[in-house]
Amino acid sequence: MATQIPYIDLHTHRNYPVKEGATLSIKNITLNHSEIISEADCSVGLHPWYINENTEHDLGLMVDALALSQVLAIGECGMDKNIATPLADQQLVFDQQVRLAKTYRKPLIIHCVRAFQEIVGCLKKVNFSEAVVFHGYRKNWTLAQQLIDQGYYLSIGKHCLNGSQDELLENISLSHLFLETDTDTTVEIATLYRYVAQIRSIELEELKRVLYQNYKNVFNK
């Protein structure tokens, strides 16, 4: 029997049951929101929504976590112009996480709301060379092209099912794409895969193969 290619859920807040590897997921752990590191593969980050006076303590927790084999990435982290926290404060915390990711050679999973220029600037400032994934991407194909041209990955969630990102999904190189469930508990990752495979007019197994290869490339699997 041929080995089953797993689905990849790049960024999720759900606890997947262990079921013969049908889905490989990266659970998001927000260290500055009192979330506990799981035994399953995960990412650890300081989310811009929850920046507080305990940042130095939380960064210490992150350093400890990065020694654990199940911690595959730093994130989600980034900047968000729709919240009250001053952008300068967000950037300081983001910069510190970028430096840790560079030191420990971990990929970054990015939360970005209306701050793409600032985030890319931070990455370029330190010549960040590990993989970067913009999770929950909802913007247009023009911006997507700019990010992909710089080697970044985009992860798309449930919102694509309403057709709002068909242009992006029709045109993006699959070698720069991930899919995710994020906080949604109503849609299975397989549903997103089937939608994208239909948009691209390719077999589901081919999409699974390419995104699994992306996973192996980004996380050195």
Side-chain angles (χ1 to χ4, degrees):
M1 179 181 292
T3 303
Q4 182 185 29
I5 301 173
Y7 293 102
I8 305 299
D9 190 345
L10 187 279
H11 178 83
T12 188
H13 295 255
R14 66 176 68 178
N15 293 308
Y16 274 95
V18 177
K19 48 181 181 181
E20 300 178 359
T23 300
L24 296 177
S25 64
I26 299 180
K27 185 176 181 182
N28 181 77
I29 307 295
T30 304
L31 293 175
N32 59 343
H33 196 50
S34 303
E35 294 182 357
I36 305 301
I37 296 171
S38 65
E39 295 183 2
D41 287 348
C42 61
S43 63
V44 295
L46 305 189
H47 197 295
W49 290 359
Y50 307 115
I51 291 172
N52 56 45
E53 67 278 3
N54 297 319
T55 293
E56 291 305 318
H57 172 266
D58 294 334
L59 287 169
L61 294 178
M62 181 177 291
V63 169
D64 292 342
L66 291 171
L68 303 174
S69 60
Q70 70 266 36
V71 175
L72 303 186
I74 290 179
E76 61 188 288
C77 59
M79 287 183 262
D80 188 327
K81 289 185 178 178
N82 283 353
I83 61 175
T85 304
L87 195 65
D89 293 349
Q90 297 184 48
Q91 183 164 336
L92 178 63
V93 176
F94 178 62
D95 282 347
Q96 290 171 300
Q97 293 176 90
V98 170
R99 287 196 291 270
L100 283 175
K102 184 173 183 178
T103 298
Y104 288 88
R105 302 195 65 183
K106 296 289 187 182
L108 284 167
I109 298 177
I110 302 292
H111 170 100
C112 181
V113 177
R114 298 173 50 221
F116 289 94
Q117 183 175 349
E118 290 84 355
I119 284 177
V120 171
C122 290
L123 298 172
K124 289 186 174 298
K125 182 173 61 179
V126 298
N127 296 313
F128 190 77
S129 59
E130 305 302 322
V132 175
V133 184
F134 285 86
H135 105 86
Y137 185 83
R138 300 183 183 215
K139 298 298 182 182
N140 58 42
W141 169 232
T142 300
L143 176 59
Q145 286 178 290
Q146 295 171 12
L147 296 171
I148 291 166
D149 286 347
Q150 296 180 77
Y152 303 141
Y153 294 80
L154 305 180
S155 185
I156 310 296
K158 171 189 174 181
H159 53 276
C160 75
L161 297 177
N162 65 11
S164 62
Q165 291 197 296
D166 284 2
E167 181 185 12
L168 183 155
L169 293 172
E170 288 166 357
N171 289 284
I172 189 172
S173 168
L174 295 179
S175 63
H176 285 270
L177 178 68
F178 284 105
L179 298 172
E180 63 177 63
T181 58
D182 197 6
T183 58
D184 188 85
T185 58
T186 62
V187 173
E188 297 301 320
I189 193 67
T191 302
L192 300 180
Y193 270 75
R194 287 192 294 268
Y195 183 83
V196 174
Q198 181 180 14
I199 289 290
R200 294 297 288 254
S201 299
I202 61 174
E203 294 295 327
L204 176 62
E205 288 302 304
E206 173 62 12
L207 180 63
K208 290 173 69 176
R209 184 191 67 78
V210 176
L211 271 57
Y212 182 45
Q213 185 61 52
N214 294 349
Y215 169 83
K216 292 193 290 185
N217 291 345
V218 169
F219 301 105
N220 296 316
K221 291 291 190 180

